[in-house]
């Protein structure tokens, strides 16, 4: 369709448009269409028609509208623009025409071209369309015209061209959880930190160490599309500090700080001295080490060795003060002492050792045993808890309790109405830790009476009484 716009062709009648319908791309029912592919020949005017004489498409004037042709759609606007699509919407025209509305035709014109290219081959009864498969950097104008059976009405044209640009995603650093606290490594170990980030298009990543540029001789940095890697082959204490990653994208930036601590074993404590020796004890004092290994000390380890064997034994671990007293030393031995410093890497490679020995002297001690009078705990029986009068129900076992104190252990005798009941299977007598118990199994009114508990040993005897009453006659047992 050369030299005539689509909406003009539709206005000229169905006969003309039918012959050219094969050159128009198909339209999806949902209102989403693919961008038309136009060649340079289609966009360029005919050679015999000079460019100055060809009116601009936006300024071309359609035929005067009639009552059969609808008016221009209203409120044409861009709803959304992505990096590969554009969505436009409009409102129906004020005048639909006598023959009724058949739909709308959407057309594009790339910036610098003269010809409008339709995006749907047939009119569509939608007021919103999405054109997809657009290339980044494209700039084009959009217009839409309402169509009836009498032809196309005047188009509604966007005032400004639509520019397809890449969507800018603000940069964001996703710092791993274990790096949100100081990252501790030992001297000589490798440091390999991978920090992921987000951003579109690809942001620029940069690192600093304590606010200064990195030493390229010691630190290597590799930046990928979605992460940045900080690598140190062999860490040294000078590598400790705050490393800051900055991700920048078109005036936007994100920062993340990582504290790295490189530590090693501490130095040995300073001078150590033997303050005093008395009895089986020795007092020591030492000074803290000058080098703590770039981290706090966990304490000191104190060891002792006697002169005879020369073997070292640990007496204190992770001890924080710088003075201590060593006790339980063996009389007659001579001891030397040493102290190690300790941090997260372990004990110091060397120790501070006392220069002089601690001699544990033998002393002449004469034992004078004290006279001991053996106490006689013998006593006659006495009841600390007497028997209590008791009322029971026929058929239900009952118990009588009392407690007695005596030494030696007394013999316990139970009696009913002053008659010995030992050996009677109806009764069970127990005595444990001075507590005497008499169990009467399923008593009847016949078992009512006075019960006596008597305790007898070589020093004497004692007894207590109580009255047991079993209520109810023989009919209660039926």
């Amino acid at each position: 369709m050369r030299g005539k716009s689509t909406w003009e062709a539709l206005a000229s009648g169905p006969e003309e448009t039918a012959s050219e319908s094969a050159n128009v791309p198909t339209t999806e029912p949902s209102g989403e269409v693919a961008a038309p592919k136009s060649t340079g020949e289609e966009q360029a005017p005919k050679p015999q028609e000079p460019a100055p004489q060809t009116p601009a498409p936006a300024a071309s004037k359609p035929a005067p509208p009639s009552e059969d042709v609808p008016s221009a759609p209203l409120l044409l606007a861009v709803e959304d623009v992505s990096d590969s699509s554009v969505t436009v919407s409009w409102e129906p025209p004020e005048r639909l025409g006598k023959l009724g509305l058949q739909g709308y035709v959407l057309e594009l014109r790339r910036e610098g071209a003269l010809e409008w290219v339709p995006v749907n081959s047939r009119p569509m009864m939608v007021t919103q369309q999405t054109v997809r498969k657009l290339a980044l950097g494209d700039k084009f104008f959009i217009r839409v015209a309402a169509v009836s059976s009498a032809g196309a009405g005047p188009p509604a044209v966007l005032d400004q061209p639509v520019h397809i640009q890449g969507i800018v995603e603000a940069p964001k650093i996703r710092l791993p959880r274990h790096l949100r606290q100081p990252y501790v490594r030992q001297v000589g170990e490798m440091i390999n930190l991978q920090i992921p980030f987000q951003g579109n298009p690809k942001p620029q990543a940069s690192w600093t160490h304590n606010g200064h540029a990195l030493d390229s001789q010691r630190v290597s940095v590799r930046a990928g599309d979605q992460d940045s890697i900080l690598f140190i082959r062999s860490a040294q204490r000078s590598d400790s500090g705050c490393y800051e990653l900055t991700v920048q994208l078109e005036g936007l930036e994100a920062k993340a700080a990582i504290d790295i601590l490189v530590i090693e074993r501490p130095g040995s404590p300073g001078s150590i001295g033997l303050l005093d020796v008395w009895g089986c004890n020795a007092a020591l004092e030492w000074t803290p080490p000058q080098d703590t290994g770039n981290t706090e000390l966990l304490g000191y380890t104190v060891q002792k060795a006697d002169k005879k064997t020369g073997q070292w034994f640990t007496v204190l671990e992770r001890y924080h003060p710088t003075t201590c007293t060593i006790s339980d030393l063996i009389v007659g031995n001579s001891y030397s002492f040493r102290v190690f410093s300790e941090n997260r890497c372990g004990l110091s490679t060397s120790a501070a050792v006392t220069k002089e020995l601690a001699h544990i002297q033998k002393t002449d001690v004469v034992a004078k045993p004290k006279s001991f009078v053996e106490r006689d705990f013998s006593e006659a029986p006495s009841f600390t808890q007497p028997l209590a009068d008791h009322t029971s129900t026929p058929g239900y076992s009952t118990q009588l309790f009392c407690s007695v104190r005596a030494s030696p252990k007394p013999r316990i005798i139970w009696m009913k109405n002053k008659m010995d009941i030992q050996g009677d299977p109806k009764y069970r007598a127990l005595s444990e830790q001075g507590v005497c118990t008499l169990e009467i199994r399923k008593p009847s009114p016949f078992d009512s009476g006075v019960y006596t508990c008597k305790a007898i040993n070589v020093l004497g005897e004692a007894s207590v009484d109580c009255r047991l009453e079993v209520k109810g006659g023989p009919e209660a047992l039926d």
Side-chain angles (χ1 to χ4, degrees), residues 54-210:
T54 303
S60 60
K61 296 182 180 180
S66 65
E67 295 181 357
D68 295 336
V69 177
S71 60
L74 304 176
L75 303 178
L76 176 62
V78 176
E79 295 292 335
D80 183 48
V81 178
S82 69
D83 55 356
S84 62
S85 65
V86 60
T87 301
V88 294
S89 65
W90 59 89
E91 296 293 335
E94 293 182 356
R95 187 180 69 253
L96 301 180
K98 290 183 178 181
L99 302 180
L101 186 65
Q102 290 187 343
Y104 302 92
V105 173
L106 185 67
E107 295 177 315
L108 304 182
R109 180 176 66 82
R110 301 184 186 277
E111 190 177 45
L114 299 177
E115 186 175 355
W116 291 91
V117 180
V119 296
N120 51 316
S121 58
R122 292 176 299 181
M124 298 180 63
M125 286 297 295
V126 294
T127 58
Q128 179 173 303
Q129 281 188 251
T130 300
V131 184
R132 301 189 182 277
K133 299 181 181 180
L134 299 174
L136 285 176
D138 279 354
K139 236 181 193 183
F140 48 82
F141 293 89
I142 297 178
R143 73 179 183 181
V144 63
V147 180
S148 69
S149 58
V157 185
L158 284 178
D159 296 335
Q160 299 294 330
V162 178
H163 190 190
I164 302 300
Q165 296 177 326
I167 298 176
V168 177
E169 180 183 356
K172 182 179 180 181
I173 300 175
R174 300 169 57 191
L175 190 64
R177 186 180 297 275
H178 71 280
L179 296 179
R180 298 176 188 176
Q181 55 190 358
Y183 183 69
V184 181
R185 306 299 289 173
Q186 295 188 24
V187 170
E189 292 184 340
M190 180 179 64
I191 297 177
N192 187 16
L193 303 180
Q194 182 179 10
I195 314 299
F197 56 78
Q198 297 174 340
N200 188 32
K202 176 184 175 182
Q204 297 294 324
S206 61
W207 288 85
T208 59
H209 179 207
N210 293 331

Side-chain angles (χ1 to χ4, degrees), residues 17 35 64 82 87 116 146 157 202 209 227 265 287 352 365 405 471:
T17 57
S82 69
T87 301
W116 291 91
V157 185
K202 176 184 175 182
H209 179 207
D227 59 17
R265 292 176 181 266
T287 57
V365 178
R405 184 175 65 188
K471 292 184 176 181

Side-chain angles (χ1 to χ4, degrees), residues 21 117 142 187 197 211 216-217 291 318 373 380 392 422-423 444 478:
S21 60
V117 180
I142 297 178
V187 170
F197 56 78
S216 58
Q217 300 295 325
D291 183 11
R318 294 195 174 182
V373 179
S392 180
Q422 295 190 68
S444 64
D478 297 335

Side-chain angles (χ1 to χ4, degrees), residues 380-396:
S382 62
F383 284 89
T384 58
Q385 180 67 37
L387 291 172
D389 293 341
H390 191 68
T391 302
S392 180
T393 303
Y396 294 91

